[in-house]
Every structure is written in C-alpha cells, then in structure tokens.
Amino acid sequence: MLGTLRKIVQEVNSAKDLKAALGIIVLRVREAMASQVCSVYLLDPESDRFVLMATEGLNKKAIGKVSMAPNEGLVGLVGSREEPLNLEHASEHPRYRYFAETGEERYASFLGAPIIHHRRVMGVLVIQQKERRQFDEGEEAFLVTMSAQLAGVIAHAEATGSIRGLGRQGKGIQETRFIGIPGAPGAAVGTAVVVLPPADLDVVPDKSIEKSEIEAELALFESALQAVRADMRALSERLASQMRKEERALFDVYLMMLEDSALGGEVTRLIRTGQWAQGALRQVVSDHVVRFEMMDDAYLSERASDVKDIGRRLLGYLQEARKQTLTYPEKTILVSEELSPAMLGEVPEGRLAGMVSVLGSSNSHVAILARAMGIPTVMGAVDLPYSKVDGIELIIDGTRGEIITNPAKVLREQYLQLAEQERQLSAGLDVLRELPCVTTDGHRIPLWVNTGLLADVVRAQERGAEGVGLYRTEVPFMIKERFPSEKEQMAIYREQLEAFHPLPVTMRTLDIGGDKSLPYFPIKEENPFLGWRGIRVTLDHPEIFLLQTRAMLKASVGLNNLRILLPMISGIRELEESLHLIHRAWGEVRDEGMDVEMPPIGVMIEVPAAVYLTRELASQVDFISVGSNDLTQYLLAVDRNNPRVADLYDYLHPAVLEALQRIVKEAHEEGKPVSICGEMAGDPAAAVLLLAMGFDSLSMNATNLPKVKWLLRQISMQTARELLAKVMRIDSPEVTHATVQLALRNLGLNKLINPSAAV
Ligand code: PEP
Ligand code: MG
C-alpha cells in the first residue's frame, strides 16, 4: 500500500498543471482501490460550490458542469463535515442527490474523503461502486491518507494556476498570498526575476575518454576554473563599497573551494583516470554535497549549497553555456530556490527591490546580508511555485514574511504607498536622525540598533541610533573558516566600539547552536533549539569564552563604551559561572598592563525559565535585555524558522505580553534597566506597547528605527498606557492586533503599518 501511495504522489507531483494532476489522481486511485469510479470535486471559493473537476467512471462531459453547495448531496456533506463518509447503500442516505448528467444512478456504494490543506477544505475525493460494496476500514483509511497527501499537491498546482492563469476553467490570474519567514524587513513591489541554476549537474552522464584526450580535457577544466575565479573576484569587487573585506570572505570561500587542494584538485585527479571533465565534476560535487547534507546542520547544508553553486558555475563554462542572461527590471525582485550572495551581487546597482528564497532561514547568509543592506527579503517560501513566477508582479513583505503574487489593485496601491512612505522617511532621515525619540508628553526612550556586519554600522549611523543594543558576535564568526583569533576579534570589536563611541555598544557573547552554527564547529542534534546553544556551548568551552571576552575588553581600552550581554541564560548558575569567567578575563587583561574598566554586564531573558528568575538574575547584573524572538518561540513552542507554523508565531500573544510586563516590573524593582532587542522592538505598533510597559530602551534593525521613532514621537505616554491597559485584557492575539491597528488609525498614525498587519 505504501509503495502505491508513494508512486501516485510522485506521479501527481510531476504533472504539468492542475488538470493533469487531477487526471492522474482519479486514474490511479480508481486502479488502486479496484473500484469503478473515482472523482475529484474542488471547492470553488467564489461560488462556494464543489465542482466536479476530474473523473474516471462518470460521464466526462459533466466535468466543470456538475456542482453542489456544501448543504447539497453526499459530496457537500463530506466537505462541510470535514469527515470521510462510507456508505454501502448511498441512495438510502437522506442527503443523497441524483445528478442525471453524471449517470450516477447506477452506483450503489459511496466512499468520500475531504481534501484539506492547512485547515482549508479544498475539495472531496470520491470512490463509487456499482454493486453494493461495504468499503472496509483499510480502504477508508487508504483514501483518507491519499487525500491528505494530495491536498498539498493540489494546493501547489492551484497556486501555480492562479499565478499563471492556468487554473480552473474560467479562472484567470488571481492574487495569491504565500507565507515564508521574515528575512529582512521592509516592503517592496516589483517584478520577479527567477534565477534558475544555470546548468543541471545532476543529469550529466559519465563518459570515458581516451588517454590522448586527457590533456585537452584538463585544459578545458582549467579554463573553467579560471573563468569562475574571475567571476567571483569581480563580484566581490562590485560589493566592495558595501561590505568590509572580511565580510566578502564569503566569496573567498568559493575561491578556496576551487583550489587544487580542494574541489579543483579532486576533479583534476578524476579526469586523469579517464573521465571527462563534466562527469568528474558531477561526481566530486555530489560526493561533497551528500557529505554536507548528511550532517543535518543548518550552516553546513548551506555549505552544500555553496558547493552546488560552484559546481553549476563550472559546468556552465564547461558547456560553454555561460551564465543565464538575465535582464533586471527597474524594481527587481530576485527569486530563487536557494539564493546565494553571488546572485545578489549580480543585480545592477539600484535595481534590487526585494528577494525571495524558497530554502533557508532568517540566519542564512543571504538574509544576514539583506538586513545589512536594507533589502526586503522573505526566506523559506516553501509553498511558492517559484519557477513559475518569472516576470510577474510580486509584493514582498519582509517584515511579516509574506509574498503576494499578482496583487489586485487595492493591495498593490497600499503596499506602494507603504514603500513610498518608507522611502520618504529615509529621504527625510537627516531631520529625523537629529531628533530625540520623545513622546508628545516628554517621555524619552533611546532607540538602539542591532548589528552584525560592518554594513550595519554605516546604516545605523545614517539613521541616528543612540547605541548598539545587540551586536551579534556570531556573525563575524560565521563568515570565517576557523575561530577568529584574539587579535582578529579585537580588531573587529574595536571597529564597532570606535564607530559608535561614546555611545554604548552591547556585545553579546557567542550565541551559536539552534540554527546558527559554524562551518568549523558543527553541532549535530535532533532538536537543536533545545540543545547545545548560546551560553551552554561557551561555558563548556571556557577557552572560547575567555578568549572572546578578553578580546572585547582589550578592544574597549581607552573607549570604555563596551557592555557585555549573555545569551540563553536559563539559571543562576550559568550566570554565576559566566560572571566568574568575565572577571577572570578582566584580571588577565589588566595583568597584561591594560587599563580597562569593568564593563556593565547584562543577561538576556529569552528562555521562559529566565522570566521567572528575572529578579534573581537582575540582582546580579547591571542590565537586562529581552530577546523576544527566542522568548516568543519558546513560550509558544513555535519554531521561529518554520513557515508551516508561522501563523502561530506572534509576539502579541497574551502570554508573551504578560511575560514582558513581568520582566520589566521585576527588573525595575531591582533597580535595573531593561531593554528589548528582538524583532518585536522594531515593529512600530508593538513598540508603542513596549514603551507603555516601561522598557528603558528599544533595540532594533536599522531599517525599522526611523519608523519606530516617527511613531513614538507622535504619541503620548498616556495614550500608550491606555492602549496597553486595554490590550492586556484581551485574550486573543488577533483581537490585540486589530485593537492596536484601530487605535493607531483613530489617532491618524496608521501610516507605515503593513497593510496585511491590519487583520
Ligand atoms: C532574540 O532571541 O530575540 C534575539 C535578539 O537573539 P537572536 O535573534 O540572535 O537569537
Ligand atoms: Mg536569541
């Protein structure tokens, strides 16, 4: 049975469109169930009727003609009750309805299963039999399994249809929304440019060559190597103005892979054994990819994609196909199955409006770069039929992690307006930059910025950040090939501290694990978010922790604007051990003759356990910073990087708001300031609530900082508190969103709020 099921799903998956997919389903399911009729009815959302879309056994002329409302017939009953129905004598059922067009009267037995995708009833799958036949439990279960599996495939085919206008008869191109993960904030409306892998390595066959041909084949491969090297260097140069040399190390990784000691050498050796260059390349690349992918680690699978990308580029030259020649429209939205930093670099300056990657998460290289460069980006758009969107209009909502294909005029206008408002705000930055973030009734709240790459620093300064609330030190670690040395770290940290001096810079100690890991320090775990993460890793490796904190302390000599922040603390003992190590590092640095003050130390509250320990933790440190990204994920048990549960991930959930209020209250009772550095702080609507809760500062990405400042400067603390009081009495996040949106609209402040946030 399992084999049959798999085969059918595979065949349906490779169908060219919805009609073909449905045709395969009815044919194969009828066969597998040894029945006389199999039909699929799909729910047409406009007419709210189940329409016969495909059948084997009934009169095919009835396709597209016969339909029934949810309160009509057995099909309607299955669809509306969302349950299977198994009847030996169908005509005796009170809901039985006869359709002459289908020639149905001859069929006595009926087995129907609803087709449901993400809670939405898409249609009904039906089996019928002439003789009276009691379908047994196993058959019923098979049909239910089949329809559950097919739901996703049908949804995918339907989405493709609505994108290209090839869906059901009479249905043209439709606006469709796809959910992904927020990669980089901001809104963009533009034209999709799909970057397909330039050459398909997987289909390259093996081919033996004569001894006499080997030299020529080696020369061919060598010239491909040269060409790809030259491309990489050129790309790296083009990004030189936006990225530090260190950060462009991403491209150096490519160059290193091409070396004789790595991939380049392996291919050469295989060619020498008598394999043609393309076949040798395929073998070497697929060996590496398999090895990386088996490691089941977010960062290393990314490395697998780097190797694939290199392989495709080399193959492109070997096949003399060169690169896909793409034209980039004025407002390009780059779409790819797996975006690479190199693809980003190929778009001519000023044309890149947004990006979409089907694979990857908010911590992929591309997302980190996109945030630093301020390009709205959606990652993990797994349901988007990406290869079909080339040339069509897209809305990218990088803040909410949504993509809208073929937007209708209204939504398009709203997003264009939002993008324009964001643009105007950026243009008017000079004025806003100099102004303090102060409410209309005089409450001052500093806005800080989150950084990682050097590019973030430049943007933060343009936007008037009053300090760094979170410098993610794992970012410079991620783009290296080994742990950076104390000296290297010192130089990187010094750059951050100097850039903001005398403003404070909060440096977080290495927070790896979860979905952030290092190529040279793989962590393979079943459940990484509940595993070896953040402070747990560095306390187990005091040599890494000591070296890092020493580098931070040395970097701040003469500046003294450093603050140290500890991630993922879940108990007092971890804090005490960390404090002990930091004091040791401080002693060592002073023993080396350097005069540096002991910096303020803070702890992140991002694990639920820490919420309940706020008072105890706060009593031992100088400040508290809430990591609302992880806190939301752990409180709600919703993976922040899983688009399937993205709808459930909500920092305005009452449980999260309760936790935040409690943290502020308890920290203040201990006389310690509290900041917040998760994405929530950069959402203007949420920032109003955080202000009212009493947060002493908000830290966010540079892109959102002007938006938050603009809004907070126009609201009074009094109004914010009233709104918070109202919100704290609400028990559902949806109502909270609506309440906040409405309040802002009534104040005339709904500008700069994403249209789709106004649910
Ligand atoms: C957080 O968890 O909210 C946070 C700021 O840290 P990160 O996103 O780096 O885990
Ligand atoms: Mg975190």
Side-chain angles (χ1 to χ4, degrees), residues 172-453:
I173 294 173
Q174 287 166 306
E175 175 180 293
T176 313
R177 187 182 300 259
F178 296 91
I179 311 262
I181 304 157
V189 181
T191 311
V193 174
V194 175
V195 190
L196 291 173
D200 190 356
L201 250 188
D202 295 337
V203 301
V204 169
D206 283 333
K207 204 160 82 182
S208 303
I209 48 172
E210 298 293 326
K211 246 198 169 128
S212 57
E213 294 170 315
I214 289 180
E215 281 312 312
E217 204 63 13
L218 285 172
L220 185 67
F221 182 63
E222 186 51 40
S223 66
L225 278 179
Q226 295 294 0
V228 175
R229 276 194 197 115
D231 282 355
M232 287 299 125
R233 289 205 191 94
L235 274 176
S236 173
E237 281 310 307
R238 274 178 53 188
L239 289 174
S241 60
Q242 302 179 51
M243 291 159 77
R244 183 164 22 109
K245 196 161 166 291
E246 286 258 298
E247 294 159 7
R248 282 183 284 136
L250 292 173
F251 298 101
D252 296 342
V253 174
Y254 275 41
L255 289 173
M256 272 164 55
M257 286 183 191
L258 297 169
E259 299 277 308
D260 276 354
S261 56
L263 206 134
E266 286 179 46
V267 177
T268 308
R269 277 191 290 283
L270 260 176
I271 297 174
R272 289 223 163 86
T273 66
Q275 180 65 247
W276 72 317
Q278 297 191 27
L281 178 67
R282 192 210 66 233
Q283 279 184 33
V284 171
V285 167
S286 72
D287 282 356
H288 281 271
V289 168
V290 167
R291 231 173 302 143
F292 279 130
E293 281 178 347
M294 283 207 335
M295 291 188 194
D296 190 26
D297 164 299
Y299 190 89
L300 287 176
S301 20
E302 191 133 323
R303 274 292 114 95
S305 79
D306 289 346
V307 178
K308 272 191 253 174
D309 194 32
I310 284 266
R312 288 181 201 125
R313 284 166 187 276
L314 286 168
L315 185 66
Y317 280 103
L318 287 176
Q319 295 178 339
E320 289 168 325
R322 288 286 280 122
K323 288 173 277 183
Q324 209 183 342
T325 36
L326 291 171
T327 42
Y328 297 99
E330 225 29 70
K331 296 233 172 293
T332 292
I333 309 256
L334 213 52
V335 181
S336 184
E337 183 176 22
E338 204 164 13
L339 277 178
S340 69
M343 291 175 185
L344 180 158
E346 273 160 17
V347 184
E349 220 174 313
R351 297 211 168 172
L352 185 57
M355 299 196 286
V356 179
S357 186
V358 174
L359 302 175
S361 73
S362 56
N363 281 312
S364 301
H365 282 159
V366 163
I368 293 172
L369 281 178
R371 283 197 290 274
M373 295 165 74
I375 303 160
T377 298
V378 177
M379 304 295 293
V382 285
D383 287 330
L384 180 76
Y386 79 97
S387 59
K388 306 290 192 322
V389 300
D390 196 50
I392 71 161
E393 187 168 67
L394 294 184
I395 291 176
I396 299 298
D397 186 335
T399 308
R400 295 176 60 82
E402 290 181 0
I403 303 145
I404 296 134
T405 55
N406 303 304
K409 199 160 168 251
V410 185
L411 199 65
R412 185 173 176 276
E413 289 300 315
Q414 285 175 339
Y415 267 99
L416 276 175
Q417 223 172 38
L418 178 65
E420 174 57 21
Q421 285 159 357
E422 286 179 352
R423 200 195 57 75
Q424 279 176 12
L425 203 60
S426 304
L429 274 182
D430 288 345
V431 187
L432 203 59
R433 180 178 53 206
E434 305 305 331
L435 297 172
C437 183
V438 58
T439 60
T440 54
D441 48 358
H443 190 91
R444 177 92 171 79
I445 181 164
L447 300 188
W448 291 352
V449 77
N450 297 346
T451 59
L453 296 169

Side-chain angles (χ1 to χ4, degrees), residues 449-525:
V449 77
N450 297 346
T451 59
L453 296 169
L454 183 73
D456 291 318
V457 174
V458 183
R459 282 173 58 78
Q461 287 172 336
E462 281 167 13
R463 285 156 182 259
E466 297 175 72
V468 176
L470 171 67
Y471 169 54
R472 291 183 165 101
T473 59
E474 56 277 7
V475 177
F477 276 67
M478 279 161 82
I479 55 181
K480 282 235 162 240
E481 289 300 296
R482 53 167 171 75
F483 284 115
S485 69
E486 186 172 318
K487 267 217 177 87
E488 284 169 333
Q489 289 189 44
M490 210 181 101
I492 299 170
Y493 302 156
R494 180 90 188 169
E495 208 170 42
Q496 289 272 332
L497 292 167
E498 269 176 348
F500 288 94
H501 186 262
L503 300 172
V505 175
T506 313
M507 295 199 172
R508 180 171 71 182
T509 61
L510 191 62
D511 181 18
I512 51 169
D515 63 339
K516 294 181 277 196
S517 60
L518 308 173
Y520 44 87
F521 193 70
I523 302 172
K524 186 182 175 328
E525 289 176 325

Side-chain angles (χ1 to χ4, degrees), residues 508 511 533 604 606 630 640:
R508 180 171 71 182
D511 181 18
R533 248 204 96 175
M604 283 193 81
E606 51 182 346
D630 277 312
R640 61 194 247 197

